[in-house]
Amino acid sequence: MEPAEVEFLAEKELVTIVPNFSLDRIHLIGGDLGPFNPGLPVEVPVWLAISLKQRQKCRLIPPEWMDVEKLEEIRDQERKEDTFTRMPSPYYMELTKLLLNYASDNIPKADEIRTLVKDTWDTRIAKLRLSADSFVRRQEVHAKLDNLTLMEINTTGAFLTQALDHMYKLRTNLQPGEAAHSQDF
Amino acid sequence: MPSAQKPMRYGHTEGHTDVCFNDTGSCIVTCGSDGDVRIWENLDDDDPTSINVGEKAYSCALKNGRLITAVSNNTVQIHTFPEGAPDGILTRFTTNANHIIFNSDGTKIAAGSSDFMVKVVEVADSSKQKTFRGHDAPVLSLSFDPRDVYLASASCDGSVRVWKIADQTCTTSWPLLQKCNDVINAKSICRLGWQPGTGKLLAIPVDKVVKLYRRETWDSQFDLSDTFITQTLNVVAWSPCGQYLAAGSVDGCIVVWDMESQKSIERMKHEKSYTICGLAWHPKYKQIAYTDTEGNLGLLENIGDEKKPNDKVTSRATKDYNDLFDGDDDYLSGDMVEPQSSPKSRANEDDDDDLKPTSGHFRRTVIDDDDNSLDIGMIKANSNLLEKEDDDDDQTGGFSALPPSSTQQPFYDGPVPTPKQKPFQSGSTPAHLMHRFMVWNSVGIIRCYNDEQDNAIDIEFHDTSIHHATHLPNSLNHTMADLSTEAILLACESTEELASKLHCIHFSSWDASKEWTVDMPKDEDIEAICLGQGWAACATSALLVRVFTVGGVQKEIFSLPGPVVSMAGHGEQLMVIYHRGTGFDGDQCLGVQLMELGKKKKQILHGDPLSLTKKSYLIWVGFSAEGTPCYVDSEGIVQMLNRGLGNTWIPVCNTREHCKGKSDHYWVVGIHENPQQLRCIPCKGARFPPTLPRPAVAILSFKLPYCQVTTEKGQMEEQYWRSVVFHNHVDYLTKNGYELDESAKSQAVKEQQELLMKLFALSCKLEREFRCVELADLMTQNVVNLAIKYASRSRRLNLAQRLSEMAVEKASELAAAPEDEEEEEEDFRKQLNAGYSNSAMEWRRQPVRNVQQDQEMEDAEETDAYEEVEETPEVHKERPNPFSKGVTSAEVTTPKSVVIASSSQGRVNPFKVSSNKKDPVVPSANVLDTMSKYSKKNGSSSGRAVNKQSPPVIKPLIPKPKSKQTSAASFFQARTLNSSEKTVEEREEKSGNESHEVKVTAQENTENRRPKTGFQMWLEENRANILKDNPDLNEAEIIKEGMSRFRTLSSEERTAWTEKAKGGTVNDSAEDKKRKRPTADEDEVEKNEEQKSEDSNLSKKPKPLDQSANVRLSAFAFKQS
């Protein structure tokens, strides 16, 4: 899966916005949205929120977890534990990126949040690499990874499986006799 | 006479403080943990000079124009006095000094530090230092011998030592104090003192006594004690003459002894019982300045000013005005406090009112009955210790604003008047804040910034299509604002040069000049403003309300009976809240006027008392979006005007119930009745939100305080009455000629009747038949019929009978006042007129009717008959698909979809899956069109007969226990059927002997399109027979007669008829499909449905006829089950 596709999925997540226009409920295949009352918070998917924000039709209210203190806590927890901790949102990275890119003026301490999320992300990716490394080294056959988000899986998933395939091929080629033998049949 | 204790005032932020007088006694100097030294001209000095000396100041001393301070960077600094210019550093320690003092001539200072050392430094030459080592713990306090020979020091190691300054040796040491490891843990800071002058005695506060040691011999001379002292003494201070000794304790007692008699001459209790940590005598007068650990400064005057020592326990209980408003914050009181230059600590706002700045302008005095007071007649104030412990219950005794005077005041212990609440704008935060909301309402937000760089007003609209956001300079210092969709209204109070101004920015004006201002007459200040539709109003200090047009034309002026509290406007309505009088014991006494400023001006509420929760004040007043007056008090109770009950107020929400914490509040910004929303901003630990970060609006639901809402009954009752209350506005608005979406009303009626029916069913289940009747009394005619049916089906014959009696009564009432109904239905007709033209309905060409015409019509029977026809479409409008008889539970949604279709701007959800076979979104007009065509074809008479398209469809009845859901689902249908039938019946009554053939055709018309039951087929065959037997029967009676005959048939015969009927309906494909729905339960519902409709028809029919029919009906119902 492409990262863009993952991002596309993330855009279905709901965020709260405060619209500055009035619109009745809108009916879409994916479900009803609205009604939009000026000044009243309403939950909409990220894609709509960004679209409205770009047209300056709304003000975005950042998700609860997008807060410096909470993210610091998450980062510290992530650093402390060897396994992956639970993330506040399954699309935390994508949401941070999207919301900070398009609505940074509505998010207090946007830069700090960006750094914190990046730190958390780096820690997790490092963990992921490390576990992949030990997985390969010890020639394990299976491993369990909890609390990984889609984007994280996406970063290594394809590469790791391909690499394992290659390694398997290389390893099997190390015993040419056997292989040759088998081909004789 | 006893000393006069001036009220405490705020001096520093909480923490250790120190106090001293300057040499002449002209000013008091304090230092505190905020690192400032403040120089007070007197206690009422509202603008003390502040010198910042460091982050924290631990101690200060002043002599010969030099101010020395011990600060947190471990130094002892000199500042010039009174200029406050830094003049160098005298000495340093490895940690901070705790106490510093001058010697008597001001040439040396001594400083004791937490690093166990004591230093004596020459002021002129800081290199000449003497260090005294020997204490094993931080040094607490020091005292110079007035003759400069000795130095006494107290330390946390528990010892008090006397040093010889010359050779820095310890002369003597007493283990007097409790040991501790740090100054903050010390029970007492043990400020000791040598007697001024000779230095004969050294006074040391030890626990609850002051020990006095004689010089040279160093033996304990005597102890001074007093029963008044209940806690450890913290500080002692000698009067400059050496005759008096004052001591302050950790619980706020100050006692003064006369050294000659060794008797206490003064006893005083700190008003809040805080620890006294600084005491200083005035160099000339008998005054003591004292400070406490919470940063307050107080002053005792006229100490010992009487011949004989007075044993009276004196205390002047003083109270801050602010305390009246339960000081979680200074929402209200902030405005009342005298301006203070000292930075006000925001830290203590969260918790309690203990630290309220005491301005001394409003004080309450409690007078105690005392033996001497009458004799002397001069007792200004001496109270018992009434207020000693009741800091939290601060609204008890005492009355306000009594100027202290030397005349005798009458003894008074009755109810205490409450200070009047200040005027405010709804949705604003206190005016003294630098960044504040001037208004937050449903239109937008006005913020005011008033800091060093900028004094500006920011206006932002929730809906940017009204107007773009605006930024205005606030040069006039506007403090009040209101915002509507037409204009921005600002107002400022008068200054010395400028009059109070009203400033309006009428942005929706179509001409070029959008602004106007009006100056108030001299000495008249605007106190509250509001905007309505096309008008603006302001209330002034001259008790006037001035109304302007939004373009600036002066209009009405009227007087208010009392000072205004707040105003609100909506549409034509103006609501003014004012003080009706003085409230007592913490209550406010407010009145409300509500008037309409439209074409016909009238007053609706004539200064009625406003009901507020006990000891609360008003915090918000306004209108709901639909125009119903509402207000909120400080206890979070939202009240709304109940126009349905003679303009009374009803509490609709308690916002405090939604709060998590005790000090959390909701700040109301708007109220909507449809949908029911209370829009407010949650404020954690405060009453109002800060401007940054931008607060988010939350929505609370309403809840009427009905009893037992945990039970199903209570819950439904609450829901019912809430629905009633929140739809009062519909009636009001229609009466005032506003256009309204009728669908909303019918929706509401539907909801209410549904709830009533549920309640009815519940009461039935609980065997509460009397209650059932009471409930039925609230129902509309149609729902009563449903109730009758329900009752008869659940075999409550007595109940059914009573209900049918009631139904008859209701029907007669209805007939007595038909014009009311007409009025209600008029709007339906008007809507329908649009897409509905029928040659048979000539009357439609008549001009839009009014009540008068309706009455005329009543007289003319013929017209009335038409009227009935006219009602028919209305009936069908509610059910766009009258032909799909097979109603499932999905039928409930049908009226809703119609609502969407019929409301002009409402959009339709194209993705909505409907359970109806036919397109649910067929606009009602279409249905009507087909109907009108149909009626054309059949001529006018059969056109009328269209009404009859839902005649009783009688099937073998299968008794089934009905669930409430099904009853709810069914009742709309039943209702429409009933009403259509009713009209027919009424018509029958009126038009007398109409031929039965018409009805037969009607019957056939319907039968063409609906399945026939066995009975119907039988009836068709046997109708002639029945008619032959009883030629004077009408249609209903024929059916009844037919039914009784049908019942007499044998069961085989009946089955045969039923079978026949089934065979006959095969051709009706549309119906058949419905019948063949796979799910059995749906089928059952369906059957139920039909049964019910039959039932209702049956129960309905006999009603206008005779009582016996009723009995027969009951018997019928009984038999079937």
Side-chain angles (χ1 to χ4, degrees):
Chain A
M1 205 160 22
E2 293 288 309
E5 289 173 280
V6 182
E7 192 181 82
F8 176 78
L9 292 179
E11 285 181 359
K12 271 185 109 171
E13 286 289 289
L14 294 180
V15 288
T16 312
I17 59 162
V18 180
N20 59 16
F21 59 94
S22 182
L23 188 68
D24 207 10
R25 194 176 278 274
I26 51 175
H27 307 293
L28 304 173
I29 289 182
D32 295 356
L33 296 177
F36 299 90
N37 289 311
L40 258 200
V42 62
E43 278 206 335
V44 296
V46 171
W47 59 266
L48 183 62
I50 288 170
S51 158
L52 289 173
K53 179 70 199 168
Q54 281 176 322
R55 285 182 282 157
Q56 300 191 324
K57 286 284 183 198
C58 76
R59 195 160 53 78
L60 191 119
I61 294 177
E64 211 175 299
W65 54 267
M66 208 176 271
D67 169 73
V68 172
E69 264 175 47
K70 290 214 176 81
L71 287 172
E72 268 173 359
E73 210 171 278
I74 288 167
R75 182 196 59 186
D76 294 345
Q77 184 72 13
E78 188 65 55
R79 285 184 177 166
K80 212 166 69 191
E81 280 185 27
D82 288 336
T83 54
F84 295 94
T85 54
R86 200 176 167 76
M87 283 292 109
S89 155
Y91 299 103
Y92 74 101
M93 191 64 195
E94 301 90 305
L95 288 184
T96 315
K97 201 168 163 58
L98 285 169
L99 299 186
L100 289 181
N101 275 356
Y102 295 104
S104 54
D105 51 333
N106 293 147
I107 300 170
K109 301 186 182 169
D111 290 341
E112 274 180 64
I113 287 170
R114 201 189 295 268
T115 320
L116 282 168
V117 172
K118 187 80 170 82
D119 284 355
T120 316
W121 168 266
D122 288 345
T123 316
R124 289 169 71 91
I125 293 300
K127 272 185 199 173
L128 193 58
R129 286 211 191 102
L130 212 66
S131 69
D133 184 46
S134 68
F135 179 75
V136 172
R137 250 174 229 282
R138 292 195 213 152
Q139 305 210 359
E140 301 283 354
V141 281
H142 61 86
K144 188 179 167 192
L145 293 170
D146 283 342
N147 295 331
L148 271 183
T149 66
L150 190 53
M151 192 59 125
E152 287 158 351
I153 295 169
N154 198 40
T155 50
T156 53
F159 172 73
L160 184 67
T161 44
Q162 272 188 357
L164 287 174
D165 272 351
H166 276 293
M167 277 195 292
Y168 174 73
K169 274 184 197 155
L170 292 172
R171 281 208 184 103
T172 45
N173 286 344
L174 277 180
Q175 291 116 349
E178 250 176 66
H181 182 71
S182 62
Q183 272 172 358
D184 285 347
F185 283 99
Chain B
M1 84 166 247
S3 66
Q5 182 194 0
K6 291 211 170 178
M8 299 291 286
R9 66 163 303 151
Y10 171 80
H12 296 270
T13 53
E14 71 188 280
H16 179 79
T17 49
D18 202 359
V19 63
C20 56
F21 279 94
N22 69 345
D23 299 336
T24 58
S26 63
C27 50
I28 307 167
V29 178
T30 59
C31 72
S33 54
D34 49 4
D36 282 347
V37 170
R38 299 223 160 82
I39 302 160
W40 311 78
E41 300 289 334
N42 53 48
L43 197 64
D44 293 331
D45 183 5
D46 289 323
D47 192 16
T49 317
S50 276
I51 307 167
N52 190 272
V53 292
E55 269 179 35
K56 262 184 168 186
Y58 292 95
S59 181
C60 66
L62 179 63
K63 207 146 227 169
N64 301 341
R66 288 197 182 91
L67 173 72
I68 54 166
T69 49
V71 290
S72 55
N73 59 358
N74 309 340
T75 59
V76 175
Q77 306 173 336
I78 309 187
H79 287 79
T80 58
F81 184 83
E83 296 80 20
D87 199 14
I89 290 170
L90 266 182
T91 184
R92 286 176 199 276
F93 291 93
T94 53
T95 174
N96 61 282
N98 293 316
H99 194 201
I100 44 172
I101 45 163
F102 273 106
N103 66 352
S104 50
D105 56 3
T107 53
K108 284 184 223 164
I109 63 124
S113 155
S114 286
D115 63 3
F116 312 173
M117 289 211 286
V118 177
K119 282 184 185 174
V120 172
V121 186
E122 298 228 349
V123 178
D125 182 3
S126 63
S127 61
K128 288 182 184 164
Q129 294 195 357
K130 283 173 179 165
T131 311
F132 300 76
R133 293 169 207 269
H135 278 300
D136 302 323
V139 179
L140 289 168
S141 300
L142 298 167
S143 182
F144 260 117
D145 169 19
R147 294 196 220 155
D148 264 353
V149 181
Y150 297 109
L151 175 74
S153 68
S155 160
C156 287
D157 61 10
S159 65
V160 174
R161 288 169 190 242
V162 178
W163 312 81
K164 199 159 200 166
I165 298 172
D167 51 10
Q168 299 155 48
T169 53
C170 180
T171 311
T172 184
S173 170
W174 300 287
L176 291 172
L177 309 173
Q178 249 182 16
K179 288 186 183 181
C180 60
N181 57 4
D182 200 1
V183 182
I184 50 165
N185 300 323
K187 276 207 158 177
S188 153
I189 54 170
C190 194
R191 291 272 191 264
L192 62 184
W194 291 89
Q195 189 172 27
T198 56
K200 203 175 88 182
L201 293 167
L202 173 64
I204 306 166
V206 178
D207 199 19
K208 289 168 197 160
V209 298
V210 180
K211 283 189 180 290
L212 288 134
Y213 288 87
R214 181 176 284 278
R215 190 189 177 87
E216 307 295 352
T217 62
W218 311 120
D219 54 357
S220 178
Q221 190 73 10
F222 53 88
D223 291 352
L224 290 174
S225 63
D226 195 281
T227 50
F228 186 62
I229 302 165
T230 54
Q231 292 280 322
T232 313
L233 290 172
N234 214 19
V235 210
V236 297
W238 289 91
S239 69
C241 58
Q243 194 192 345
Y244 302 107
L245 180 72
S249 77
V250 294
D251 66 344
C253 297
I254 296 177
V255 178
V256 182
W257 289 274
D258 186 350
M259 288 314 290
E260 279 174 31
S261 60
Q262 298 178 17
K263 278 188 177 156
S264 64
I265 54 165
E266 283 295 342
R267 294 162 186 175
M268 190 286 279
K269 181 80 182 173
H270 184 294
E271 64 194 48
K272 299 243 165 80
S273 298
Y274 293 147
T275 303
I276 307 287
C277 61
L279 266 184
W281 283 82
H282 192 278
K284 293 188 186 100
Y285 308 120
K286 289 175 175 172
Q287 277 186 359
I288 297 178
Y290 60 97
T291 56
D292 63 36
T293 51
E294 301 289 330
N296 300 318
L297 170 67
L299 197 62
L300 277 173
E301 284 174 334
N302 307 330
I303 291 157
D305 259 11
E306 62 197 322
K307 299 276 183 320
K308 71 173 177 98
N310 192 343
D311 261 0
K312 251 179 298 165
V313 176
T314 58
S315 149
R316 174 85 166 274
T318 51
K319 268 290 164 192
D320 195 334
Y321 193 73
N322 299 340
D323 293 351
L324 282 166
F325 293 113
D326 178 84
D328 287 352
D329 49 55
D330 43 11
Y331 180 63
L332 282 156
S333 53
D335 299 348
M336 303 173 199
V337 183
E338 295 287 296
Q340 289 175 349
S341 67
S342 53
K344 203 153 142 203
S345 97
R346 306 277 308 174
N348 45 17
E349 283 184 1
D350 320 344
D351 196 5
D352 51 14
D353 50 335
D354 288 345
L355 271 177
K356 276 294 159 200
T358 320
S359 63
H361 286 265
F362 308 96
R363 63 184 58 148
R364 298 199 293 169
T365 318
V366 174
I367 298 185
D368 184 33
D369 197 8
D370 180 65
D371 295 346
N372 294 339
S373 63
L374 292 173
D375 300 337
I376 302 166
M378 289 286 285
I379 299 296
K380 214 187 318 185
N382 51 356
S383 80
N384 54 10
L385 300 167
L386 190 114
E387 303 219 11
K388 193 157 62 179
E389 258 119 41
D390 60 0
D391 280 336
D392 33 4
D393 186 15
D394 49 18
Q395 307 194 334
T396 54
F399 48 91
S400 66
L402 268 183
S405 71
S406 55
T407 56
Q408 186 184 0
Q409 284 165 352
F411 171 71
Y412 180 73
D413 64 352
V416 182
T418 319
K420 284 179 178 168
Q421 176 178 4
K422 294 267 166 186
F424 68 94
Q425 289 296 119
S426 287
S428 68
T429 53
H432 65 86
L433 298 177
M434 282 209 289
H435 295 212
R436 62 180 284 242
F437 289 110
M438 291 176 94
V439 67
W440 182 322
N441 63 17
S442 53
V443 178
I445 304 165
I446 301 184
R447 271 168 304 195
C448 178
Y449 300 98
N450 190 5
D451 44 24
E452 286 85 28
Q453 316 109 27
D454 206 9
N455 191 355
I457 292 174
D458 249 353
I459 301 150
E460 194 184 305
F461 293 84
H462 293 314
D463 192 342
T464 42
S465 62
I466 295 174
H467 196 253
H468 55 80
T470 319
H471 185 84
L472 302 170
N474 188 11
S475 51
L476 286 168
N477 205 6
H478 290 299
T479 53
M480 290 159 266
D482 199 6
L483 184 63
S484 78
T485 50
E486 302 176 313
I488 301 158
L489 192 66
L490 299 162
C492 60
E493 288 179 354
S494 63
T495 57
E496 273 163 27
E497 306 98 60
L498 293 167
S500 182
K501 271 191 175 61
L502 188 69
H503 180 190
C504 180
I505 302 163
H506 181 209
F507 54 76
S508 69
S509 160
W510 43 262
D511 68 2
S513 45
K514 311 248 181 221
E515 292 188 36
W516 54 271
T517 49
V518 172
D519 281 7
M520 292 296 122
K522 204 169 170 287
D523 301 327
E524 196 174 322
D525 270 343
I526 297 176
E527 293 190 318
I529 55 173
C530 72
L531 273 172
Q533 198 178 2
W535 54 269
C538 68
T540 66
S541 54
L543 302 187
L544 280 179
V545 174
R546 297 168 180 275
V547 184
F548 302 83
T549 63
V550 77
V553 179
Q554 299 199 44
K555 285 179 78 187
E556 293 87 357
I557 287 187
F558 60 92
S559 286
L560 276 181
V564 71
V565 177
S566 196
M567 289 209 296
H570 180 279
E572 294 173 347
Q573 301 176 83
L574 166 67
M575 176 159 58
V576 190
I577 308 238
Y578 59 89
H579 288 286
R580 282 171 66 236
T582 310
F584 286 92
D585 288 340
D587 298 340
Q588 296 287 336
C589 182
L590 305 181
V592 55
Q593 282 191 344
L594 179 67
M595 46 188 64
E596 284 174 9
L597 301 169
K599 286 258 159 53
K600 38 180 183 185
K601 295 177 172 61
K602 61 179 174 188
Q603 194 168 357
I604 297 159
L605 294 179
H606 307 262
D608 303 358
L610 200 67
S611 45
L612 292 174
T613 321
K614 262 207 142 336
K615 296 190 199 292
S616 71
Y617 51 95
L618 194 68
I619 55 167
W620 189 88
V621 52
F623 288 86
S624 71
E626 286 77 11
T628 309
C630 305
Y631 64 88
V632 185
D633 63 32
S634 57
E635 294 298 306
I637 309 290
V638 184
Q639 307 241 21
M640 181 179 265
L641 189 73
N642 188 357
R643 298 197 206 258
L645 188 66
N647 289 338
T648 48
W649 296 94
I650 177 168
V652 290
C653 183
N654 183 355
T655 59
R656 295 305 296 272
E657 273 177 10
H658 297 268
C659 293
K660 288 189 191 84
K662 194 176 155 238
S663 54
D664 294 355
H665 292 87
Y666 279 99
W667 193 66
V668 175
V669 296
I671 291 174
H672 287 241
E673 289 179 75
N674 188 26
Q676 293 176 16
Q677 289 177 338
L678 177 62
R679 299 184 182 178
C680 46
I681 294 167
C683 307
K684 222 170 178 186
R687 278 195 178 275
F688 53 84
T691 52
L692 283 173
R694 212 187 140 100
V697 179
I699 291 171
L700 296 184
S701 53
F702 294 104
K703 192 175 158 201
L704 305 190
Y706 272 81
C707 301
Q708 291 181 313
V709 283
T710 45
T711 65
E712 209 179 345
K713 172 176 167 279
Q715 205 179 345
M716 284 192 286
E717 282 164 344
E718 193 268 340
Q719 277 178 16
Y720 173 73
W721 286 110
R722 180 149 47 90
S723 173
V724 169
V725 168
F726 277 85
H727 286 93
N728 280 335
H729 70 269
V730 178
D731 293 337
Y732 174 76
L733 292 180
T734 14
K735 215 165 44 183
N736 283 279
Y738 285 92
E739 274 180 34
L740 257 186
D741 191 6
E742 274 299 326
S743 62
K745 191 187 171 178
S746 54
Q747 193 92 348
V749 171
K750 184 191 93 180
E751 181 194 329
Q752 288 159 18
Q753 297 301 324
E754 208 171 309
L755 281 164
L756 280 178
M757 200 56 218
K758 279 187 199 170
L759 270 169
F760 181 87
L762 188 71
S763 311
C764 260
K765 229 183 266 171
L766 298 173
E767 312 272 326
R768 295 264 182 194
E769 300 200 353
F770 190 84
R771 196 182 282 168
C772 287
V773 176
E774 286 171 326
L775 283 168
D777 201 27
L778 296 169
M779 295 177 184
T780 59
Q781 171 90 39
N782 304 320
V783 187
V784 172
N785 295 327
L786 193 72
I788 295 172
K789 192 183 66 186
Y790 186 91
S792 56
R793 284 178 57 85
S794 48
R795 280 189 278 171
R796 292 172 203 284
L797 307 180
N798 187 19
L799 175 64
Q801 190 163 346
R802 277 179 191 281
L803 287 178
S804 55
E805 275 166 31
M806 176 188 283
V808 174
E809 232 169 78
K810 277 203 172 187
S812 60
E813 265 171 44
L814 219 62
E819 62 265 46
D820 293 351
E821 211 178 300
E822 300 287 1
E823 226 176 320
E824 275 176 46
E825 283 160 17
E826 210 170 54
D827 284 321
F828 275 114
R829 262 175 258 136
K830 274 186 212 161
Q831 283 183 5
L832 286 163
N833 283 353
Y836 197 81
S837 70
N838 190 336
S839 58
M841 304 203 173
E842 291 295 330
W843 48 268
R844 289 216 167 273
R845 308 266 154 81
Q846 286 171 6
V848 180
R849 48 198 77 197
N850 50 27
V851 181
Q852 210 183 350
Q853 270 174 317
D854 279 347
Q855 274 165 343
E856 281 167 27
M857 261 183 257
E858 241 188 319
D859 303 334
E861 256 190 20
E862 194 51 35
T863 334
D864 221 359
Y866 279 118
E867 197 77 273
E868 303 304 336
V869 182
E870 187 191 345
E871 275 179 7
T872 339
E874 175 218 321
V875 164
H876 293 304
K877 185 186 165 265
E878 287 192 31
R879 215 159 50 96
N881 197 0
F883 308 118
S884 69
K885 191 68 177 69
V887 190
T888 65
S889 56
E891 179 72 11
V892 193
T893 61
T894 320
K896 203 178 166 191
S897 60
V898 178
V899 166
I900 290 168
S902 59
S903 70
S904 52
Q905 72 273 56
R907 279 173 303 155
V908 174
N909 184 359
F911 306 112
K912 192 161 181 174
V913 183
S914 171
S915 51
N916 256 335
K917 285 285 188 278
K918 284 200 178 179
D919 188 0
V921 292
V922 175
S924 49
N926 288 358
V927 179
L928 297 171
D929 283 346
T930 54
M931 279 184 50
S932 62
K933 265 181 233 155
Y934 178 78
S935 52
K936 244 187 234 167
K937 243 186 267 167
N938 289 286
S940 64
S941 60
S942 62
R944 269 184 234 161
V946 173
N947 300 342
K948 285 240 69 180
Q949 65 179 300
S950 43
V953 183
I954 295 168
K955 274 198 326 183
L957 294 163
I958 309 141
K960 279 217 176 69
K962 258 198 302 172
S963 72
K964 260 183 286 163
Q965 275 73 16
T966 42
S967 78
S970 63
F971 106 74
F972 300 106
Q973 204 204 357
R975 183 157 65 114
T976 51
L977 287 176
N978 285 335
S979 56
S980 73
E981 244 174 287
K982 187 185 81 195
T983 57
V984 174
E985 267 166 25
E986 279 171 342
R987 189 166 54 87
E988 276 168 2
E989 278 169 0
K990 279 171 188 153
S991 51
N993 302 321
E994 275 214 55
S995 69
H996 289 138
E997 275 78 5
V998 176
K999 269 157 225 155
V1000 177
T1001 15
Q1003 196 74 15
E1004 273 160 11
N1005 276 341
T1006 18
E1007 276 159 4
N1008 283 343
R1009 67 197 75 226
R1010 58 187 59 261
K1012 285 179 200 164
T1013 59
F1015 169 67
Q1016 275 174 300
M1017 296 190 71
W1018 178 87
L1019 185 67
E1020 267 170 60
E1021 301 255 317
N1022 292 284
R1023 182 184 290 272
N1025 289 339
I1026 296 167
L1027 276 173
K1028 206 163 65 190
D1029 294 349
N1030 312 302
D1032 54 350
L1033 280 186
N1034 67 17
E1035 177 67 10
E1037 281 163 321
I1038 290 174
I1039 294 171
K1040 241 176 284 144
E1041 180 62 28
M1043 245 174 340
S1044 48
R1045 288 188 189 198
F1046 187 67
R1047 236 177 276 137
T1048 56
L1049 296 175
S1050 72
S1051 61
E1052 289 88 51
E1053 276 174 304
R1054 266 185 275 171
T1055 336
W1057 277 109
T1058 321
E1059 291 298 311
K1060 213 170 164 186
K1062 274 184 190 159
T1065 52
V1066 185
N1067 58 341
D1068 196 335
S1069 56
E1071 276 312 306
D1072 213 37
K1073 251 184 233 164
K1074 286 215 167 137
R1075 258 150 218 287
K1076 281 178 192 159
R1077 287 241 171 105
T1079 35
D1081 57 339
E1082 262 181 342
D1083 226 332
E1084 267 177 16
V1085 173
E1086 216 172 283
K1087 277 180 196 159
N1088 265 345
E1089 209 53 62
E1090 295 199 2
Q1091 262 171 254
K1092 261 180 262 163
S1093 48
E1094 283 159 32
D1095 267 6
S1096 67
N1097 291 332
L1098 287 170
S1099 53
K1100 181 76 216 297
K1101 283 242 163 95
K1103 179 201 61 183
L1105 302 173
D1106 59 354
Q1107 202 62 38
S1108 65
N1110 252 325
V1111 179
R1112 232 188 298 165
L1113 161 71
S1114 317
F1116 174 60
F1118 186 74
K1119 212 188 262 173
Q1120 40 164 295
S1121 48

